[in-house]
Amino acid sequence: MTQLTDSAIDATLTALDRCDSCGAQAYIRVTLASGELLFCAHHGAKFKAKLAGQAIEWHDESARLQETR
């Protein structure tokens, strides 16, 4: 949805970022006018339709779950 910039690359989610709903590792950051929410892939998908109209930015790194090493 958004183009990666240097600031977006610096804002990569880490294992320390936790889902606001369940505490699992966060892969999605939603920026709203009132602040940010972090979600795991499951809760990000669950709340996407509800929050999409309000989101200023939807930063989704859930594709990292599919990467093979």
Side-chain angles (χ1 to χ4, degrees):
M1 290 179 107
T2 60
Q3 185 177 30
L4 285 181
T5 62
D6 289 338
S7 62
I9 293 169
D10 293 340
T12 300
L13 295 166
T14 70
L16 298 175
D17 295 306
R18 310 311 287 180
C19 177
D20 290 328
S21 290
C22 69
Q25 184 173 346
Y27 288 93
I28 298 169
R29 178 188 299 110
V30 182
T31 304
L32 304 168
S34 58
E36 289 185 341
L37 294 171
L38 299 176
F39 293 116
C40 63
H42 165 78
H43 284 109
K46 180 177 179 179
F47 297 123
K48 187 171 187 173
K50 184 181 282 189
L51 294 173
Q54 304 170 49
I56 296 169
E57 182 179 3
W58 191 277
H59 178 81
D60 187 343
E61 298 180 16
S62 59
R64 291 175 31 206
L65 293 167
Q66 303 300 319
E67 292 178 357
T68 57
R69 296 182 190 239

